[in-house]
Amino acid sequence: MVQQTSCHAENRLNTRLFNIGTFALPAIDAGQRQNFPPDKQVPVALLPDPTHVRRRSFHTLLSARETHMSQEFASRPLVIAPSILASDFARLGEEVRAVDAAGADWIHLDVMDGHFVPNISFGPDVIKAMRPHTRKIFDAHLMISPADPYLEAFAKAGCDHITVHAEAGPHLHRSLQAIRALGKKAGVSLNPGTPISAIEYVIDMIDLVLVMSVNPGFGGQAFIRSALGKVGDLRAMTAGRPIDIEVDGGVGPDVAGALAAAGANAFVAGSAVFKGGTVDTYRSNISAIRDSAAAARGEMI
């Protein structure tokens, strides 16, 4: 029985929150423990109470790895991603060029269907029309359900990242497989009420986690402060993996520093960037968000 469990151990432990460290559990007898080399961890199946130990051990080990996690986090670049949803749609191509010139790292594309969220924005054809106006990364956030039938269309329109909601369909693993098969980076977005455990078993298929710090569907909403705790938990969960932690909703210079300190490295901002209506004001707005986040990361010159 122990031998069967060990066949699955390495596969499963690579995707569990347990990979933060090795456990010393006296409840497991010596005969069982010797089946696992010193550099391997005890399979979850051998723990006396998996759910309880999982929560307790995860949080206990965070402090022991804080320095290491900070080093891993520092390797992810700081990114400002203006949401084109807040731009002037009558001058869409011009607005894309303007935020590009103003220092945007990514262009964030909020796609809404009027079904999954209570608003309708734009689809693949509009994105395709925007694509020639910049060479910056197109960061598509699909607030649609179902998403799978439309993934190829968004990929062909020129999206570099395609993020789907964990809540938008029953087969998240399949959606991520499809995005990767299209040659795009795969993201998962979590609504304010969705726990990070929703991505635990697909963590190795994810390039980006998008934390919603407002309820999706409308721009200009107030920042939900519980997102800070979620970002901190995600920072620990993704330590050592090349995963961007992105935040969308109510993000401006006033909260960017706290989010960066918690572990976010990518910041979506709509009205906070596009207020002012000129390249100069966009540049100033982007710089204010970047400076706030950079200061919290200890990167200010």
Side-chain angles (χ1 to χ4, degrees), residues 77-210:
L78 183 59
V79 169
I80 309 299
S83 172
I84 210 69
L85 187 67
S87 70
D88 181 352
F89 277 24
R91 303 184 298 118
L92 199 50
E94 182 183 337
E95 291 278 68
V96 171
R97 295 194 301 273
V99 290
D100 183 334
D105 301 292
W106 301 347
I107 307 297
H108 188 77
L109 306 169
D110 285 310
V111 179
M112 305 180 186
D113 64 356
H115 166 66
F116 180 67
V117 294
N119 204 353
I120 297 174
S121 58
F122 48 79
D125 287 344
V126 174
I127 293 173
K128 184 177 180 181
M130 284 188 269
R131 185 68 275 187
H133 293 277
T134 181
R135 300 182 68 178
K136 295 289 175 68
I137 287 173
F138 268 15
D139 179 42
H141 174 199
L142 304 188
M143 290 171 273
I144 65 176
S145 178
D148 289 10
Y150 306 99
L151 297 176
E152 185 175 2
F154 283 103
K156 288 181 175 179
C159 298
D160 301 290
H161 303 164
I162 299 178
T163 294
V164 295
H165 268 260
E167 311 87 1
H171 304 297
L172 180 58
H173 188 281
R174 180 178 295 162
S175 299
L176 295 172
Q177 279 184 317
I179 294 169
R180 286 177 166 269
L182 291 165
K184 305 300 180 179
K185 288 194 173 183
V188 177
S189 185
L190 302 175
N191 279 336
T194 302
I196 66 170
S197 58
I199 62 171
E200 180 180 348
Y201 289 97
V202 293
I203 193 70
D204 288 326
M205 302 178 70
I206 294 173
D207 299 294
L208 179 154
V209 181
L210 175 57

Side-chain angles (χ1 to χ4, degrees), residues 80 82 99 102-104 272-273 281-291:
I80 309 299
V99 290
V273 166
T281 57
Y282 296 169
R283 182 178 292 110
S284 177
N285 297 337
I286 288 171
S287 294
I289 298 170
R290 191 187 304 279
D291 289 350

Side-chain angles (χ1 to χ4, degrees), residues 2 87 187 275:
V2 171
S87 70
K275 61 184 180 184

